[in-house]
Amino acid sequence: MKSVINILLFSCFVLPLHAGEITVHPGDNLAAAITLAHAGDTILIRKGVYSGVGIVINKPLSLVGTGWPIIDGEGKGEIFTVMSDRVSFEGLEIAHAGLSYIKENAAIKVRDVRYCTIRNNRFRDNFFAIYVSNSHHSVIEDNLIFATVKRNTSTSGNGIHVWKSDSIRIVRNDITGHRDGIYFEFVREALISDNRSEDNLRYGLHFMFSDHCRYVRNTFRGNSSGVAVMYSKYVEMTENVFENNWGPASYGIMLKDINDSHIRGNRFANNTIGIFAEGCSRSMIERNDFADNGWALKIMANCDDNKIFKNNFIGNSFDVSTNSTFSYNTFENNYWSNYTGYDLDRDGIGDVPYRPVRLFSWITEHQPASLFLLRSFFVTVLDLAEAMIPVLTPAKLMDARPSMRRIL
Amino acid sequence: MDGVLKIFKFELHNLSRSKWVILYAVFYFIITYGLFQFESSQSRVVVSLMNTTLLFIPLVSVVFGTMYLYHSREFIELLLSQPIQRTTIFWGLYMGITIPLSLGFVLGVGIPSVAYGMNKLEDVKVLGGLLTMGVFLTSIFVAFAFLLSIRHDDKMKGLGFSILVWFFFGVLYDALILTGSFVFADYPLEKAMLFLNFLNPIDIARTFLLLQLDISALMGYTGAVFSKFFGGWMGMTTALGVLVMWTLVPLLVALRIFRSKDF
């Protein structure tokens, strides 16, 4: 019993001492302070500019900045490499991780560890900003990540790059000007919520081989190619906003080989193509808003068993377009602003089915240059004739029960 | 110039008395008002307005213009017996039809649109484009009416041709283009299409408006040629220039015939 009390007393007095605090001032060597620190220490970094190239953290530490100290990589290489569990970063401004064509230099690279936290930092003009590799149960929260230097896709890295990791939380980050805003490969069980990824050079979000991930309330706006989601299963995308992704190869989302996934309550507005789906199966697309897109939904013939339910299609140049006369997907209960049918029994469901694939979208698929006849009177007449008796457009691709009112 | 103004004033008076122009304005007013009442989204209203504009303005302008000129044949002959230059009479007559028709359209569409809140900068751009195109189409198709009714003394022939002109530019031309684009599908057609577009004033007007309404679709791979051309300063100027040409060419030909015509 006595020994137990002794141990308790010991831990009360000694452990807090062990978790010491080291304060670093401008002019001090940050790397040296980290080498000197003991596991569990907190390093307080005062306001100022610190040079930081190749700082390796191999013990649990908390790095806390006061007054936004700047850790400058001076474009020379990687800044922080984390090789220990339970390392946290807070209140730092980390800038200028060096561009390299061989190495993926990052402002913070987290490798083969667990339980790391990167919270409330600023990342300015880095090659890669946050790079998580084979690390689990980590949190990336409230960071501001931006690159203002003019670059192209080969001289720019990703904002948040996650590779082969489990249970990562990426919340409330703001990412602009990188190659891909958020990049995922071989990630499982991640939560990405309330982030804003805008004006990146390639994709706002780019993820592949990442099953069981959830994307909630993120905003992807003005990225030059939109969002690409590929080769994944059981993905949940809820209440995200995909806006202003304009360009010859730009999509709100491109879905490639996405199975058993759920896309709900998202808003797709002003994109060249809202959703481009290729090789998708057994997925639900429900309660989304598609407004003012060039093509709201391009669904290729290799997609099957998808359910497109209760979406709003408002003011799109083309609602649905496809490359085949067959369709193995179900459209039901959507609201189509281009629907011209009637509802005699007043149950809120249109009495005539709606065929969202216009003849003209078939024509533009086959002869793209004819696109400029869009909204020509002659084309309207053709569309009308085709809608009565479908010959070239998929006869089965129709919403048999279109909603008369906008779905809220 | 004084003479032009006098004839123009008289025409204006005569036209407003004939009630057709008033009816025309009221027609647009009701359509626009109704669309704003029943359509939920503003963009759909603009699309519907654009469809009516592109379809009706050429039809009304060319048919009404032709009929009006045949009707006022005696009045024209009376004017010709006076010591007034033929050119003066011609411009006075032309403005006397074009300006009331344009005004009817501009007020008929403009008033309810502004009243229904299309007064933000973004909307004003769209609305302005629509109204400008409407005025251009009116001028162009009234010019065609002049050409036809001065060229042909036979009323039925003139009217028949005027409807044919509308049908050709409004419907047939696009059908031919579409057929052509399939026949020559193996060739890169974007540039050729852009050129062919300029041979039809209705198509110019439509493309001009598409750029404001369907910009998302035009930003795609195929629309890129169009949006790049029309979106730029050069393209806009060219389009407007070509529209002016489309007004002046038939009008000047008509004037030539009018000056030497034996009434």
Side-chain angles (χ1 to χ4, degrees):
Chain A
M1 194 60 208
K2 202 166 183 179
S3 65
V4 173
I5 290 170
N6 270 342
I7 288 168
L8 274 176
L9 281 172
F10 179 81
S11 48
C12 283
F13 290 106
V14 178
L15 280 181
L17 275 180
H18 204 77
E21 234 178 53
I22 299 171
T23 307
V24 184
H25 298 275
D28 295 353
N29 189 334
L30 180 61
I34 287 169
T35 318
L36 284 175
H38 298 288
D41 281 2
T42 298
I43 299 183
L44 279 177
I45 305 172
R46 296 282 178 211
K47 184 176 180 170
V49 181
Y50 300 82
S51 151
V53 184
I55 302 174
V56 177
I57 302 177
N58 49 16
K59 58 197 133 201
L61 287 178
S62 297
L63 273 69
V64 180
T66 51
W68 296 106
I70 298 169
I71 321 291
D72 196 332
E74 294 154 1
K76 285 179 190 154
E78 190 145 288
I79 300 176
F80 288 107
T81 310
V82 177
M83 302 177 78
S84 156
D85 294 353
R86 297 175 201 281
V87 173
S88 74
F89 294 86
E90 204 175 331
L92 305 178
E93 175 164 334
I94 309 176
H96 307 123
L99 158 67
S100 161
Y101 292 103
I102 302 158
K103 288 193 289 182
E104 300 184 315
N105 291 331
I108 299 179
K109 186 179 279 174
V110 181
R111 282 175 58 183
D112 310 319
V113 298
R114 294 183 301 167
Y115 304 112
C116 283
T117 308
I118 301 171
R119 181 179 290 136
N120 199 19
N121 301 286
R122 289 184 198 155
F123 295 83
R124 177 153 53 89
D125 291 327
N126 295 292
F127 183 42
F128 283 76
I130 301 174
Y131 191 113
V132 180
S133 159
N134 192 26
S135 298
H136 314 298
H137 302 281
S138 291
V139 177
I140 300 170
E141 247 177 25
D142 296 304
N143 298 290
L144 183 64
I145 302 169
F146 58 99
T148 48
V149 181
K150 283 266 171 268
R151 283 183 172 163
N152 58 42
T153 47
S154 56
T155 55
S156 168
N158 303 324
I160 298 177
H161 181 109
V162 187
W163 180 78
K164 195 172 177 288
S165 299
D166 267 19
S167 310
I168 306 289
R169 277 167 51 91
I170 298 178
V171 184
R172 289 186 302 275
N173 299 286
D174 200 329
I175 310 150
T176 56
H178 276 271
R179 180 173 63 194
D180 292 341
I182 303 174
Y183 178 98
F184 269 40
E185 201 172 348
F186 307 110
V187 178
R188 293 171 60 85
E189 310 271 357
L191 169 71
I192 295 101
S193 82
D194 303 282
N195 300 286
R196 226 154 52 105
S197 177
E198 291 180 7
D199 302 316
N200 293 294
L201 304 176
R202 194 169 65 186
Y203 297 113
L205 166 70
H206 186 183
F207 80 87
M208 293 168 293
F209 312 107
S210 297
D211 302 341
H212 299 278
C213 289
R214 288 178 57 207
Y215 300 83
V216 189
R217 291 185 303 274
N218 301 288
T219 304
F220 302 102
R221 189 179 287 136
N223 299 296
S224 73
S225 304
V227 167
V229 205
M230 303 186 270
Y231 314 109
S232 302
K233 285 178 287 196
Y234 306 105
V235 178
E236 197 185 310
M237 308 194 80
T238 316
E239 292 171 38
N240 301 287
V241 175
F242 302 86
E243 268 179 0
N244 296 349
N245 299 297
W246 276 353
S250 192
Y251 318 99
I253 303 192
M254 176 173 78
L255 302 171
K256 175 145 180 57
D257 286 284
I258 296 294
N259 301 323
D260 303 294
S261 294
H262 204 155
I263 298 176
R264 194 185 62 220
N266 301 286
R267 180 174 165 75
F268 299 87
N270 299 315
N271 304 292
T272 297
I273 300 172
I275 295 185
F276 180 87
E278 199 178 345
C280 295
S281 302
R282 301 180 300 279
S283 293
M284 282 276 267
I285 298 179
E286 62 166 342
R287 289 185 187 276
N288 301 288
D289 277 351
F290 295 87
D292 303 319
N293 300 289
W295 287 260
L297 180 58
K298 264 199 181 179
I299 188 156
M300 296 294 117
N302 53 3
C303 298
D304 58 357
D305 276 335
N306 298 293
K307 294 194 171 64
I308 294 104
F309 269 30
K310 296 205 172 193
N311 300 285
N312 292 311
F313 291 84
I314 298 164
N316 303 293
S317 300
F318 298 94
D319 286 330
V320 177
S321 138
T322 180
N323 59 350
S324 152
T325 42
F326 296 97
S327 163
Y328 307 101
N329 305 294
T330 320
F331 288 78
E332 210 169 89
N333 259 180
N334 299 287
Y335 170 73
W336 311 87
S337 71
N338 290 329
Y339 180 59
T340 48
Y342 46 83
D343 176 22
L344 286 184
D345 50 6
R346 303 234 153 247
D347 59 351
I349 304 287
D351 298 347
V352 233
Y354 177 68
R355 292 207 166 81
V357 181
R358 294 163 57 185
L359 174 64
F360 190 53
S361 70
W362 181 90
I363 290 174
T364 51
E365 283 285 320
H366 288 79
Q367 182 42 44
S370 61
L371 180 70
F372 97 102
L373 292 173
L374 180 62
R375 299 206 192 283
S376 151
F377 178 65
F378 176 68
V379 164
T380 315
V381 173
L382 276 187
D383 277 345
L384 211 69
E386 175 76 11
M388 302 286 169
I389 310 143
V391 181
L392 296 168
T393 55
K396 277 192 181 163
L397 199 164
M398 63 176 184
D399 191 331
R401 297 163 49 76
S403 168
M404 294 301 286
R405 275 180 297 275
R406 200 182 155 149
I407 287 141
L408 298 171
Chain B
M1 202 59 220
D2 198 37
V4 175
L5 265 180
K6 264 200 189 119
I7 296 171
F8 166 63
K9 259 190 218 155
F10 170 78
E11 288 276 289
L12 199 64
H13 184 69
N14 194 26
L15 270 173
S16 60
R17 225 178 30 183
S18 84
K19 295 191 189 75
W20 277 107
V21 174
I22 309 277
L23 209 68
Y24 182 62
V26 168
F27 165 76
Y28 272 110
F29 187 89
I30 290 173
I31 282 202
T32 313
Y33 182 81
L35 283 172
F36 273 106
Q37 277 286 317
F38 298 114
E39 288 289 3
S40 46
S41 79
Q42 204 167 320
S43 62
R44 275 208 70 179
V45 175
V46 177
V47 167
S48 306
L49 276 177
M50 172 180 128
N51 289 339
T52 38
T53 306
L54 293 178
L55 197 65
F56 280 111
I57 288 196
L59 180 65
V60 171
S61 303
V62 79
V63 172
F64 181 76
T66 316
M67 285 204 319
Y68 186 82
L69 278 179
Y70 281 128
H71 268 294
S72 42
R73 181 76 175 222
E74 281 159 19
F75 168 64
I76 294 169
E77 276 165 19
L78 176 75
L79 279 179
L80 287 171
S81 68
Q82 305 297 314
I84 312 172
Q85 277 200 337
R86 283 199 168 191
T87 321
T88 311
I89 300 176
F90 183 83
W91 290 114
L93 283 169
Y94 179 69
M95 276 160 57
I97 299 179
T98 310
I99 292 179
L101 277 180
S102 304
L103 266 182
F105 167 72
V106 168
L107 295 180
V109 170
I111 291 172
S113 302
V114 172
Y116 267 94
M118 281 196 75
N119 46 23
K120 291 186 287 294
L121 188 69
E122 198 73 352
D123 304 332
V124 167
K125 232 178 92 189
V126 175
L127 189 64
L130 187 72
L131 296 181
T132 314
M133 288 304 127
V135 171
F136 263 118
L137 288 179
T138 312
S139 328
I140 290 166
F141 282 87
V142 171
F144 273 117
F146 268 64
L147 179 61
L148 292 170
S149 60
I150 292 168
R151 177 84 177 67
H152 300 283
D153 283 333
D154 184 356
K155 207 170 167 178
M156 282 330 287
K157 219 171 168 183
L159 208 58
F161 273 121
S162 73
I163 290 174
L164 205 66
V165 161
W166 169 78
F167 185 73
F168 177 75
F169 286 121
V171 187
L172 203 61
Y173 189 83
D174 290 353
L176 290 176
I177 293 244
L178 196 59
T179 321
S181 80
F182 271 84
V183 172
F184 298 104
D186 297 340
Y187 300 91
L189 285 176
E190 275 83 5
K191 294 256 165 67
M193 285 286 203
L194 196 59
F195 175 72
L196 287 174
N197 196 24
F198 281 117
L199 299 185
N200 181 349
I202 301 184
D203 278 353
I204 302 177
R206 207 195 51 244
T207 319
F208 195 90
L209 295 175
L210 275 187
L211 218 69
Q212 324 212 347
L213 297 171
D214 291 281
I215 185 74
S216 318
L218 290 176
M219 293 300 278
Y221 180 69
T222 48
V225 174
F226 274 87
S227 54
K228 216 169 106 192
F229 184 77
F230 274 93
W233 181 84
M234 258 295 284
M236 284 286 194
T237 324
T238 316
L240 292 178
V242 171
L243 285 174
V244 171
M245 288 291 288
W246 267 111
T247 321
L248 287 182
V249 169
L251 205 55
L252 292 178
V253 174
L255 179 61
R256 243 179 80 109
I257 301 169
F258 185 74
R259 278 168 69 175
S260 55
K261 192 176 163 76
D262 186 10
F263 277 91

